[in-house]
Amino acid sequence: MSGNNALAGKTAFVTGGAGSIGSHCAKLLLRDGAAVLIMGRRKDALEKTKAWLLEAVPGGKVEIYAGDACEEKDVRAALDKAFAMQKRLDIIVPTVGGGGFKPLLMLDADTFRAELNVNIISAFLAVRYGVPMMEGGSIVCISSTAATLPFAYLPAYHTSKGGLENFIRAAAEELGSAGVRVNAVRPGLT
């Protein structure tokens, strides 16, 4: 599988890199020539994903960082490692997210807070600490159709994805003048 090399010389940072969405984003970035650092919590899963990526894109440049995308120190260390790959950072793809099915009246504050954390704070940390390393570039967050189409048993997830989209709009407004594009995609069920 070969791409068009449009991203040759660029460096990308992908959180949730061992997950389905994150690993496939990394594969497409590699295919188009970017060096990619994938971050995730489990080193063994990251190592397997790295091997899969290098098999799919021979000659690709992939690094891994095991850490939590919701923890500031881990995100900062991973971003430093990504920047060190080519002395630049051009692309940030925070894919960490998720939620569980539970009726509203069975949720507690800690569970609700945890979904806000994984869906909003993980993206905030990648943007907040990644943008100062960038000279222009792109940030692509993973939202959901659930941000605007809520249904029963996912109130925390809907709320957090709606909040993520508002964060993305605010970031796009502030960072556009610095040449940093901030967008989101809304996949359906994956």
Side-chain angles (χ1 to χ4, degrees):
M1 180 183 266
S2 64
N4 59 20
N5 239 16
L7 301 177
K10 308 278 187 190
T11 304
F13 172 69
V14 180
T15 67
S20 183
I21 293 174
S23 63
H24 284 82
C25 289
K27 180 180 170 184
L28 294 173
L29 291 162
L30 276 174
R31 186 191 68 188
D32 284 345
V36 180
L37 182 130
I38 55 172
M39 178 184 188
R41 289 181 294 185
R42 293 182 17 240
K43 187 175 181 182
D44 61 327
L46 290 169
E47 288 171 344
K48 286 179 186 174
T49 301
K50 179 179 178 178
W52 173 77
L53 289 169
L54 292 174
E55 182 180 318
V57 185
K61 188 171 184 180
V62 182
E63 294 290 339
I64 65 171
Y65 187 89
D68 189 333
C70 294
E71 293 294 329
E72 183 177 327
K73 67 177 178 45
D74 289 347
V75 173
R76 293 180 84 166
L79 284 162
D80 286 343
K81 187 173 180 178
F83 185 86
M85 291 176 77
Q86 299 190 117
K87 303 297 183 231
R88 63 183 299 149
L89 181 64
D90 306 282
I91 302 161
I92 298 173
V93 186
T95 74
V96 170
F101 285 94
K102 199 169 211 180
L104 174 67
L105 298 181
M106 293 181 73
L107 285 171
D108 57 49
D110 288 339
T111 303
F112 203 90
R113 243 184 243 108
E115 288 198 32
L116 295 174
N117 198 41
V118 76
N119 289 302
I120 300 173
I121 300 303
S122 63
F124 163 75
L125 291 172
V127 172
R128 166 60 184 89
Y129 295 107
V131 169
M133 299 177 173
M134 300 171 82
E135 293 182 24
S138 297
I139 299 168
V140 181
C141 297
I142 308 301
S143 184
S144 169
T145 55
T148 58
L149 299 168
F151 52 91
Y153 307 116
L154 285 172
Y157 184 72
H158 295 298
T159 301
S160 61
K161 288 300 186 176
L164 174 65
E165 288 197 8
N166 279 304
F167 167 69
I168 292 163
R169 286 182 187 96
E173 182 72 27
E174 286 191 36
L175 302 173
S177 63
V180 177
R181 293 179 310 279
V182 186
N183 294 290
V185 294
R186 285 184 185 161
L189 291 174
T190 47

